[in-house]
């Protein structure tokens, strides 16, 4: 299947300008809160990389950065909550005020697990900043809350500005909704190739 960055998007939810404005506002809020703290930004790869790169340029207090990659085993599109750390932090968290930077907060199961693991490493504090919040998907057993939220989104599959479908579309400068036929076409293509094998 051939991907088409522009034509595979059904509609734009948040424009490049709207995202820039909101990220700038978040940077100001975070700078104010962390002005007397030892801020460490942790990007949860891969989806949050674009957001974190822009966000840190709007933060006006000293900060360090690090990266984690996690995956949850999925059956279909539903996370089971079984989380595996694929890339761990390089920095010892003791003495840091940790801000987890995430692309989207939906069920919250992976973020809950991640927060529980990081708390055991004894940072001064842990807070959560998410570009997108999808409260309709939240697992009622998840106890954590986002301290900084970019925008709220309905329960739709979104792409762009770091968010992907099948590892594509991350480089779109805006956030949009993928056309529903694209996942269906990919699923059909996958089945065809499995039948050939």
């Amino acid at each position: 299947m051939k991907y088409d960055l522009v034509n595979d998007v059904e509609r734009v939810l948040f424009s490049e300008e709207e995202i820039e404005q909101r990220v700038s506002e978040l940077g100001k809020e975070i700078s104010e809160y962390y002005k007397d703290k030892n801020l460490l930004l942790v990007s949860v790869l891969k989806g949050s990389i674009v957001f974190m790169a822009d966000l840190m340029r709007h933060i006006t207090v000293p900060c360090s950065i690090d990266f984690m990659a996690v995956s949850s085993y999925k059956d279909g599109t539903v996370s089971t909550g079984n989380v595996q750390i694929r890339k761990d932090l390089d920095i010892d968290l003791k003495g840091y005020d940790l801000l987890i930077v995430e692309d989207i907060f939906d069920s919250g199961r992976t973020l809950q697990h991640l927060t529980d693991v990081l708390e055991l490493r004894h940072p001064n504090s842990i807070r959560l900043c998410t570009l997108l919040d999808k409260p309709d998907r939240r697992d009622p057993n998840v106890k954590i809350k986002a301290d900084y939220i970019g925008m709220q989104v309905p329960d739709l599959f979104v792409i762009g500005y770091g968010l992907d479908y099948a590892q594509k579309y991350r480089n779109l400068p805006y956030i949009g909704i993928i056309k529903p036929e694209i996942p269906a076409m990919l699923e059909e293509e996958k089945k065809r190739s499995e039948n050939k094998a």
Side-chain angles (χ1 to χ4, degrees), residues 28-41 59 61-62 96-100 125-128 147-148:
K28 286 180 187 148
E29 288 176 49
I30 290 165
S31 300
E32 181 59 31
Y33 180 81
Y34 285 95
K35 63 185 173 188
D36 298 316
K37 301 184 188 307
N38 189 15
L39 175 59
L40 171 63
L41 301 171
I59 292 173
V61 296
Y96 281 103
D97 293 282
L98 177 61
L99 182 63
I100 299 171
S125 64
I126 299 179
R127 300 188 108 203
L128 171 62
D147 300 282
Y148 304 98

Side-chain angles (χ1 to χ4, degrees), residues 57-192:
R57 287 194 290 256
H58 289 285
I59 292 173
T60 57
V61 296
C63 64
S64 301
I65 64 168
D66 207 342
F67 302 90
M68 287 190 90
V70 298
S71 66
S72 45
Y73 296 99
K74 300 185 181 210
D75 106 341
T77 58
V78 180
S79 170
T80 64
N82 295 322
V83 178
Q84 181 182 17
I85 295 174
R86 310 291 293 253
K87 187 252 177 259
D88 208 339
L89 298 174
D90 296 321
I91 295 175
D92 182 346
L93 296 186
K94 286 177 186 165
Y96 281 103
D97 293 282
L98 177 61
L99 182 63
I100 299 171
V101 179
E102 182 60 291
D103 56 350
I104 189 162
F105 186 17
D106 47 24
S107 78
R109 288 189 291 268
T110 299
L111 275 173
Q112 180 72 67
H113 177 82
L114 189 57
T115 303
D116 293 344
V117 166
L118 295 177
E119 275 178 353
L120 296 174
R121 301 180 189 183
H122 309 293
N124 291 342
S125 64
I126 299 179
R127 300 188 108 203
L128 171 62
C129 176
T130 185
L131 173 64
L132 302 177
D133 183 31
K134 198 186 272 189
D136 293 344
R137 293 271 309 210
R138 196 83 74 249
D139 183 324
N141 296 314
V142 167
K143 304 297 178 221
I144 58 167
K145 304 226 180 299
D147 300 282
Y148 304 98
I149 295 170
M151 288 86 70
Q152 242 181 40
V153 289
D155 189 9
L156 296 166
F157 200 92
V158 290
I159 53 172
Y161 196 71
L163 294 124
D164 75 300
Y165 183 82
Q167 298 300 323
K168 304 290 190 262
Y169 310 105
R170 292 189 196 276
N171 55 323
L172 288 169
Y174 52 80
I175 294 167
I177 299 168
I178 195 168
K179 287 180 177 172
E181 61 265 28
I182 303 299
M185 286 164 59
L186 281 169
E187 199 54 43
E188 200 50 49
E189 191 174 274
K190 185 179 167 190
K191 284 180 187 168
R192 276 198 305 271

